[in-house]
């Protein structure tokens, strides 16, 4: 169980581990998915010109390091709505992991996404 919990995050950490401080557009204790794991109220997410910053609330991080995934690593974005919640599924090119994040989290990043060729949905 612990292996599954850490697998996708650790794959991302091999490429995107960061020591940077969280960006200005930063939301704490949000919900979202990284690979197969759904982080309910424990995911910290931010955006900046370099990419998407992800971390886990320290009490639940179990050694999972913060990530800064560059915009260029996103190969596809599609809606992943659930009832009345607008969400997006982001497919990463390497490693092949998907992220599911609420629209309001990605709203400040629409100009960065546009530079990568993604039209805001």
């Amino acid at each position: 169980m612990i292996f599954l919990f850490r697998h996708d995050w650790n794959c991302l950490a091999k490429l995107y581990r960061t020591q940077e401080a969280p960006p200005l557009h930063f939301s704490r204790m949000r919900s979202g998915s990284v690979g197969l794991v759904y982080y309910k109220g424990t995911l910290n997410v931010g955006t900046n010109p370099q990419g998407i910053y992800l971390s886990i609330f320290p009490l639940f991080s179990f050694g999972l390091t913060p990530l800064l995934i560059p915009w260029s690593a996103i190969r596809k974005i599609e809606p992943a709505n659930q009832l009345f919640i607008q969400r997006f599924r982001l497919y990463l090119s390497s490693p092949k992991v998907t992220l599911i994040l609420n629209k309001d989290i990605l709203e400040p990043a629409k100009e960065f996404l546009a530079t990568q060729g993604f039209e805001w949905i």
Side-chain angles (χ1 to χ4, degrees), residues 13-88:
K14 288 177 185 175
L15 295 173
Y16 308 123
R17 178 185 317 245
T18 187
Q19 299 296 323
E20 290 186 31
L24 293 176
H25 296 289
F26 186 69
S27 300
R28 297 181 192 280
M29 301 190 70
R30 302 299 300 263
S31 296
S33 295
V34 176
L36 298 174
V37 179
Y38 179 70
Y39 296 91
K40 184 175 183 177
T42 59
L43 189 64
N44 301 320
V45 185
T47 60
N48 65 21
Q50 289 77 41
I52 299 173
Y53 179 94
L54 298 173
S55 66
I56 304 295
F57 185 74
L59 185 62
F60 303 106
S61 69
F62 304 111
L64 299 176
T65 61
L67 307 173
L68 183 59
I69 301 169
W71 299 115
S72 60
I74 300 170
R75 65 179 169 87
K76 181 180 173 184
I77 298 175
E78 67 183 18
N81 299 331
Q82 181 182 25
L83 293 175
F84 301 106
I85 301 171
Q86 291 184 305
R87 304 178 331 159
F88 289 103

